Amino acid sequence: MKLRLDPRAKLFLLVLSNLTLFLHVSLRTEIMLVVLLLSLYFLSGKTKSGLRMTAVYLSLVAADLFVIPIAEGFVLNFLSMLSVGIRMMLPCVISGGYAFSTTTVGEMVCAMRKLKIPEVIIIPCVTVVRFFPTIAEDYRHIRNAMALRGIATGNMALLRHPVQSLEYILIPLLMNSNNVAQDLSVASMTKGISMPGVHTSMTEIKMTKTDYLYMVLCTIPFVLFLGGVM
Amino acid sequence: MKPTNKLTVPDLISIGVFTALYFVLVTIATFSSAALFPGFNNVVLPAVCALISGSVYMLLAAKLQKFGGISVMGIVMGMFFMTSGHFIVSFAANIVMGIVADFVAKAGSYKSRKGLLFSYVLFSYGLFGPVLPMWFMKDAYVANLEARGKDAVYIAELFANINMGTFVFAVVATLVCALIGGWFGQKMIKKHFVKAGIV
């Protein structure tokens, strides 16, 4: 069976991985946490992105341990930027990527309501998630229309006239967004989004033993680090 | 429906739609600055983004004409930064700058061109969130290099001009780019939306 964590547990993991930056944890602590986070990918059936993240992390650690001691000058500067700078962000990227790729919109709304986040924030958030695919689709239509008129065809053409490209792509996108915002408002008002009172939800979320177990597991590296064991 | 000063559901949905567009532009800015200035991408990101997303901001301000829109946009941006694995401080920076920018725009009752331009500059500084870890991480860089057996003097030299210099550079570049981007945005809104009677 595939593992499914509660969105709130994912949020907790996200905050934890941000702590690695604040606390300047040791490499060992970081590796422990990253291993735990990465195994989430494999347990939830996201093998491909799990492997990709593992490869990136491993190569950065390897660069840090083996290349930096012998590097000098510019190479050192660049590599330390890469291996320390990017590597320190990686726990956040890993847990964020996990949260993003495994949470459905329904679960997200449900979790936000349970966390007592006001509707003023929830509604725009949902709209953002719902709207991303529309932007991609619009962009393709706009590029097709531009190609039909012989504007900016070819690979680098957009970069040759950046201001024109910006205007020709962004303005239609904005026009359409404006219309879609109206349509979406009508659609969601019909479904009673502005009704007062508690809303029911198709998706039910619940914190299970697995959630708590994983939260505790991921806290252990920090406890060990703060306790001076590592 | 009678016009109110509070945000209605259609307003919130508009905010969501424009925030999504803004987010896409931030993503484009992230990738292009990473491609153009590898290693320093976080420093130039606010500037690049300010340059291209003026029209989105100006259209949102022109469409809503009430307090709260820009703040909510900042908050939602911050939340998405956080869940897409950015540093938690970006959350705070976006919210604070969003609310400040909203107050500035309100002072010009969302009509004054200069007021809006100024508030756009402030809003652009909200993107400094992802840059901030650089200063947090300086110690970590140094400690790491020391652990790898590098000379302390050498390390000090390496970072002496990176920090203050890059910070000032990032602030100035963002200011200039936000002014240009905001001006361009206002011009576009006037050319395409005001004339068409949409806002």
Side-chain angles (χ1 to χ4, degrees), chain A residues 175, chain B residues 59 62 113 186-199:
Chain A
M175 283 284 182
Chain B
L59 183 59
R113 285 174 68 104
Q186 287 179 334
K187 213 179 84 173
M188 287 297 110
I189 299 307
K190 201 172 165 205
K191 180 175 168 193
H192 293 285
F193 290 88
V194 178
K195 279 186 187 157
I198 294 175
V199 290

Side-chain angles (χ1 to χ4, degrees), chain A residues 14-45:
Chain A
L14 203 58
V15 173
L16 265 189
S17 23
N18 269 293
L19 274 181
T20 56
L21 278 173
F22 273 115
L23 296 174
H24 295 325
V25 296
S26 64
L27 183 61
R28 264 184 256 169
T29 317
E30 193 189 284
I31 290 178
M32 256 181 91
L33 181 73
V34 168
V35 168
L36 281 169
L37 292 176
L38 281 174
S39 44
L40 273 179
Y41 279 83
F42 298 107
L43 289 173
S44 322

Side-chain angles (χ1 to χ4, degrees), chain B residues 30-105:
Chain B
T30 311
F31 282 118
S32 52
S33 50
L36 293 174
F37 312 92
F40 293 95
N41 46 346
N42 272 345
V43 180
V44 290
L45 166 65
V48 176
C49 186
L51 198 58
I52 58 175
S53 43
S55 0
V56 178
Y57 185 87
M58 293 304 167
L59 183 59
L60 178 73
K63 194 173 146 74
L64 289 184
Q65 301 271 334
K66 50 179 104 162
F67 184 75
I70 299 166
S71 317
V72 172
M73 185 164 162
I75 295 170
V76 175
M77 276 302 296
M79 291 179 79
F80 275 92
F81 266 137
M82 205 176 78
T83 42
S84 60
H86 281 75
F87 192 48
I88 224 162
V89 174
S90 26
F91 188 51
N94 265 297
I95 295 177
V96 173
M97 292 327 282
I99 294 172
V100 171
D102 213 349
F103 272 110
V104 170

Side-chain angles (χ1 to χ4, degrees), chain B:
Chain B
M1 220 190 314
K2 68 177 195 311
T4 67
N5 271 329
K6 276 182 133 181
L7 293 172
T8 57
V9 170
D11 290 339
L12 294 175
I13 288 175
S14 302
I15 295 170
V17 163
F18 289 121
T19 309
L21 269 178
Y22 187 69
F23 196 85
V24 169
L25 290 176
V26 173
T27 314
I28 293 171
T30 311
F31 282 118
S32 52
S33 50
L36 293 174
F37 312 92
F40 293 95
N41 46 346
N42 272 345
V43 180
V44 290
L45 166 65
V48 176
C49 186
L51 198 58
I52 58 175
S53 43
S55 0
V56 178
Y57 185 87
M58 293 304 167
L59 183 59
L60 178 73
K63 194 173 146 74
L64 289 184
Q65 301 271 334
K66 50 179 104 162
F67 184 75
I70 299 166
S71 317
V72 172
M73 185 164 162
I75 295 170
V76 175
M77 276 302 296
M79 291 179 79
F80 275 92
F81 266 137
M82 205 176 78
T83 42
S84 60
H86 281 75
F87 192 48
I88 224 162
V89 174
S90 26
F91 188 51
N94 265 297
I95 295 177
V96 173
M97 292 327 282
I99 294 172
V100 171
D102 213 349
F103 272 110
V104 170
K106 195 189 179 206
S109 31
Y110 299 91
K111 290 212 165 54
S112 144
R113 285 174 68 104
K114 274 186 195 138
L116 280 175
L117 204 55
F118 184 45
S119 93
Y120 177 62
V121 171
L122 288 173
F123 189 80
S124 299
Y125 282 114
L127 282 179
F128 262 61
V131 191
L132 289 171
M134 281 205 44
W135 286 276
F136 275 95
M137 286 194 296
K138 191 195 165 196
D139 301 338
Y141 278 132
V142 175
N144 191 66
L145 286 177
E146 270 168 2
R148 302 280 166 266
K150 292 291 169 189
D151 183 23
V153 181
Y154 176 76
I155 297 171
E157 252 173 44
L158 204 62
F159 286 100
N161 51 8
I162 284 189
N163 274 293
M164 249 357 258
T166 41
F167 187 72
V168 173
F169 170 75
V171 171
V172 174
T174 309
L175 175 70
V176 174
C177 289
L179 285 176
I180 299 174
W183 171 77
F184 179 74
Q186 287 179 334
K187 213 179 84 173
M188 287 297 110
I189 299 307
K190 201 172 165 205
K191 180 175 168 193
H192 293 285
F193 290 88
V194 178
K195 279 186 187 157
I198 294 175
V199 290

Side-chain angles (χ1 to χ4, degrees), chain A residues 92-190:
Chain A
C92 307
V93 175
I94 291 171
S95 53
Y98 177 73
F100 226 57
S101 59
T102 54
T103 314
T104 63
V105 181
E107 279 178 340
M108 192 181 94
V109 178
C110 202
M112 284 168 97
R113 288 217 169 109
K114 286 214 168 154
L115 289 169
K116 305 262 182 286
I117 294 172
E119 291 284 303
V120 180
I121 307 294
I122 298 180
I123 296 173
C125 275
V126 182
T127 318
V128 170
V129 178
R130 156 74 181 72
F131 198 61
F132 279 139
T134 317
I135 294 180
E137 200 180 303
D138 283 350
Y139 175 75
R140 278 194 299 275
H141 290 318
I142 293 167
R143 286 310 300 277
N144 282 342
M146 282 165 80
L148 193 67
R149 287 168 180 76
I151 304 167
T153 47
N155 283 334
M156 302 301 276
L158 279 181
L159 296 175
R160 226 174 288 141
H161 306 280
V163 178
Q164 182 194 301
S165 311
L166 194 64
E167 180 180 352
Y168 286 9
I169 293 178
L170 204 54
I171 299 303
L173 268 181
L174 280 170
M175 283 284 182
N176 189 53
S177 311
N178 201 31
N179 294 338
V180 171
Q182 266 157 21
D183 296 347
L184 272 180
S185 308
V186 174
S188 52
M189 297 281 266
T190 320

